[in-house]
Amino acid sequence: MNYTISMKKVSITTYLFLCLFTSFTFAQTSLTLNKSEIEAYHHILSLRFEATTSLLDTKRAASSYLQNMQESMILLFTEDQSLFTSYTEAFEDRYETIEDIKEESPYKLFYLAELKLQSAFVNLKLGNEWDAAWQFRKAYKLIEENTETYPDFLPNYKSLGMLHIILGSVPAKYQWILHLLGMEGTVEDGIDEINKLAKSDNIFQAEAEAIRCLLKSYLLNETQEAIQEFEQVYNKVNDNMLFGYLYMSLLMKNSDGEKALIVYNRLSNLNDGYFDLNLLSYTAGEIYLQKGDYIKAEAKFKLFIKKNKGRNLLKDAWYKLFLTYWLNGQTEKAQEAFSSAQNNGTTDAEADKHAAKNLAKNDYPNVQIMKLRLATDGGFYERAESILNSDIEITSDKDKCELDYRKARFYHKTNKLSKAKTYYKNTIDLAKNEHWYFAPNSCLQLGYIYLEEGLDQMAKSYFEKVLKYKDYEYETSLTNKANAALAELN
């Protein structure tokens, strides 16, 4: 198999599971986590950062590792540039502290590699791509050396697996640069290595299993199975805010907005002492928007925008705030939010890029088609069907094409596959050579349907059609999925 994914699309939370979770079941040394540090580790993963203060000893390597993990998470979630200078200075001190240790132990190089990885992702998140690239390279060399010296040390395979996934995600035309830098790896290797930890019997098996679930959903398109497995993990630790947020994300990906709201309400009722995860407001706003509860959606998006200290998702949050007004008939407020969306945020994140393209058109979306899209995406199928049965005004060729595409998505998600196939094919015909994502995604979805029906050659032909489309929204994501499916068939 030959999977490729864009690191630009790797979410904060996917990184946290790939980069931070590990196992500490090797020979006990002064570098091994002690009882207090293990407790602190669990607090960090639950986003109870204040509780770690009295549990960590800055003179110990494991504590330095955990402190860096915690501060990396805070920066990844907040994107607060004002914290970056102090983070960098503390990182250098911690790295030197661990590097100066003379003791022979697999933990030493493992901690050093993890610190480099954490720093790399922070730099990548804050737009320092060159610095991030060199940190990745250093992490790769450190963990490669550690794996050769200590092949039975399980944490190595979590770090190495994550790096192999990154390296395997680089497009083929750039692989020569990696070879020049002495780095190589495939996504298949990475998945196998992370599975090695997930299937072990160490005390951190649940976290490793969570990594595996994320990979199954976001990379292998096995979302339903991933949710079933992750639910078992989350139910054991349902006071863990990070796990709850991840579970919400998986449910939303699977169009189960109602269940995601239940998880959100549970997280909202957790006791004090948790990190203020602003992303929860953004995520809840999305679900309420899909549900058509525009008052609650407005409140959540406003709260996210007010607390936001970073650059990602800001433009999209403003655009979705515009939608809450536009779909609710509040034209004047919609115009103001539309202008704010045009003038705020960046276009690094995929959601922001999508928002920017809509904002560049200077025209507002078809109200009924947008409502249909949102309700279908959220799994609010009764609402979607009601909209589908109403009179939908069509004012352009794009509206006509998109309406058939939205019908296909609705029928696909409600398992009416014959109708879904008909409307997907209609969409492909109507789109012609336009640079809309409706046609390539219709090809991808037809491929999945035929694959489930056991018609491998038909499926293959539609996956190959996806690759023929160029210059459209979500091109990287759809191309990666088509390539992954073709790899499974070959």
Side-chain angles (χ1 to χ4, degrees):
M1 287 180 274
N2 181 23
Y3 298 114
T4 58
I5 56 176
S6 169
M7 285 311 297
K8 285 281 189 181
K9 288 180 64 58
V10 173
S11 68
I12 294 171
T13 47
T14 303
Y15 153 68
L16 290 169
F17 276 84
L18 289 176
C19 187
L20 302 181
F21 292 151
T22 186
S23 161
F24 299 92
T25 54
F26 210 70
Q28 296 293 307
T29 71
S30 65
L31 277 75
T32 309
L33 270 74
N34 61 28
K35 185 177 179 180
S36 294
E37 288 163 340
I38 290 174
E39 184 180 351
Y41 176 76
H42 286 297
H43 284 318
I44 292 170
L45 297 184
S46 298
L47 305 188
R48 290 192 290 258
F49 296 147
E50 293 180 4
T52 67
T53 304
S54 62
L55 298 171
L56 299 177
D57 179 355
T58 56
K59 297 178 182 179
R60 285 179 49 82
S63 287
S64 294
Y65 165 70
L66 292 173
Q67 283 182 316
N68 206 76
M69 175 195 296
Q70 178 168 300
E71 291 180 16
S72 297
M73 292 172 76
I74 292 171
L75 266 170
L76 287 165
F77 280 129
T78 65
E79 302 177 36
D80 189 346
Q81 288 278 0
S82 67
L83 301 175
F84 185 63
T85 299
S86 60
Y87 168 83
T88 303
E89 292 173 354
F91 168 85
E92 294 298 338
D93 290 341
R94 291 165 187 154
Y95 193 88
E96 288 180 9
T97 297
I98 299 172
E99 192 175 36
D100 289 342
I101 293 173
K102 303 302 181 184
E103 182 179 338
E104 292 294 328
S105 167
Y107 288 103
K108 178 178 177 179
L109 289 185
F110 170 73
Y111 289 151
L112 293 177
E114 286 286 282
L115 258 66
K116 289 293 183 183
L117 282 172
Q118 291 163 10
S119 176
F121 275 97
V122 167
N123 275 283
L124 187 65
K125 192 66 180 174
L126 297 182
N128 307 322
E129 295 183 0
W130 183 253
D131 290 334
W134 280 109
Q135 298 284 46
F136 278 128
R137 183 178 185 276
K138 291 175 181 176
Y140 176 86
K141 293 299 182 183
L142 287 165
I143 206 65
E144 186 181 51
E145 179 184 344
N146 209 37
T147 305
E148 290 177 359
T149 307
Y150 302 100
D152 296 326
F153 184 61
L154 279 176
N156 284 334
Y157 296 101
K158 185 273 299 180
S159 307
L160 192 62
M162 185 272 297
L163 279 161
H164 281 158
I165 289 170
I166 295 171
L167 296 173
S169 304
V170 175
K173 64 181 178 180
Y174 298 122
Q175 284 289 331
W176 67 271
I177 299 176
L178 299 180
H179 293 313
L180 191 65
L181 295 173
M183 296 190 292
E184 60 183 7
T186 67
V187 173
E188 302 96 295
D189 290 340
I191 292 173
D192 288 343
E193 286 152 356
I194 288 172
N195 279 339
K196 186 178 294 188
L197 178 58
K199 294 176 181 178
S200 67
D201 58 358
N202 65 83
I203 61 172
F204 290 96
Q205 184 274 337
E207 287 80 14
E209 178 67 13
I211 300 174
R212 196 174 73 87
C213 290
L214 288 172
L215 289 173
K216 290 182 75 168
S217 177
Y218 287 96
L219 183 60
L220 303 180
N221 199 49
E222 298 173 3
T223 302
Q224 186 61 50
E225 186 177 338
I227 287 174
Q228 292 172 354
E229 294 174 4
F230 193 89
E231 184 174 20
Q232 296 177 19
V233 176
Y234 175 61
N235 284 340
K236 295 176 183 176
V237 287
N238 58 22
D239 63 342
N240 185 311
M241 184 172 287
L242 179 57
F243 274 46
Y245 170 70
L246 285 166
Y247 188 37
M248 279 182 67
S249 300
L250 288 173
L251 289 169
M252 289 181 69
K253 188 175 185 296
N254 201 44
S255 299
D256 198 347
E258 203 65 70
K259 195 168 185 178
L261 273 181
I262 294 173
V263 179
Y264 170 73
N265 290 327
R266 183 188 297 168
L267 295 176
S268 300
N269 291 323
L270 288 175
N271 297 327
D272 294 337
Y274 286 85
F275 174 71
D276 185 7
L277 186 60
N278 197 26
L279 279 170
L280 283 175
S281 295
Y282 172 86
T283 306
E286 284 193 295
I287 302 171
Y288 286 126
L289 179 60
Q290 293 169 341
K291 193 175 183 179
D293 192 338
Y294 301 120
I295 302 303
K296 288 183 179 178
E298 175 190 356
K300 296 303 177 183
F301 286 127
K302 280 185 174 180
L303 184 61
F304 174 80
I305 291 168
K306 179 181 178 181
K307 292 184 176 181
N308 183 71
K309 296 180 180 180
R311 56 184 189 166
N312 291 307
L313 300 181
L314 183 59
K315 185 175 289 294
D316 186 61
W318 273 109
Y319 180 72
K320 285 173 178 168
L321 181 60
F322 149 74
L323 287 177
T324 67
Y325 295 133
W326 178 239
L327 301 182
N328 202 28
Q330 298 173 277
T331 305
E332 187 173 336
K333 286 187 174 182
Q335 291 171 340
E336 292 174 359
F338 193 88
S339 178
S340 294
Q342 288 178 315
N343 297 318
N344 285 281
T346 61
T347 56
D348 293 326
E350 195 73 25
D352 292 323
K353 289 179 183 176
H354 178 63
K357 288 189 176 182
N358 289 322
L359 293 163
K361 300 168 189 173
N362 270 318
D363 59 352
Y364 296 172
N366 183 299
V367 171
Q368 293 301 95
I369 293 178
M370 179 56 74
K371 286 182 177 179
L372 174 60
R373 171 188 180 176
L374 291 167
T376 302
D377 286 349
F380 301 103
Y381 298 129
E382 288 186 10
R383 174 177 169 79
E385 188 169 24
S386 175
I387 296 166
L388 198 57
N389 292 332
S390 66
D391 293 328
I392 300 177
E393 183 180 0
I394 300 299
T395 60
S396 68
D397 289 340
K398 185 177 182 181
D399 279 355
K400 185 177 181 181
C401 180
E402 182 172 4
L403 181 57
D404 272 18
Y405 173 73
R406 298 302 166 196
K407 288 179 180 179
R409 297 300 293 141
F410 170 77
Y411 289 125
H412 192 173
K413 286 177 178 288
T414 53
N415 206 35
K416 298 173 183 176
L417 299 184
S418 179
K419 285 187 175 182
K421 287 189 284 188
T422 296
Y423 282 108
Y424 279 136
K425 290 173 182 178
N426 287 350
T427 300
I428 295 167
D429 292 338
L430 288 169
K432 298 178 182 177
N433 295 320
E434 295 287 351
H435 296 285
W436 305 326
Y437 68 89
F438 311 135
N441 197 38
S442 292
C443 291
L444 182 71
Q445 299 304 323
L446 282 167
Y448 288 145
I449 292 173
Y450 286 123
L451 196 61
E452 288 182 6
E453 293 177 343
L455 300 173
D456 289 2
Q457 287 305 312
M458 184 71 77
K460 183 178 180 181
S461 69
Y462 275 103
F463 290 137
E464 288 173 343
K465 285 180 181 179
V466 177
L467 306 180
K468 295 179 181 178
Y469 290 92
K470 304 294 179 184
D471 302 321
Y472 60 90
E473 280 186 276
Y474 309 121
E475 181 179 357
T476 299
S477 175
L478 297 182
T479 298
N480 291 339
K481 291 176 181 177
N483 278 325
L486 285 168
E488 288 279 3
L489 284 168
N490 292 333

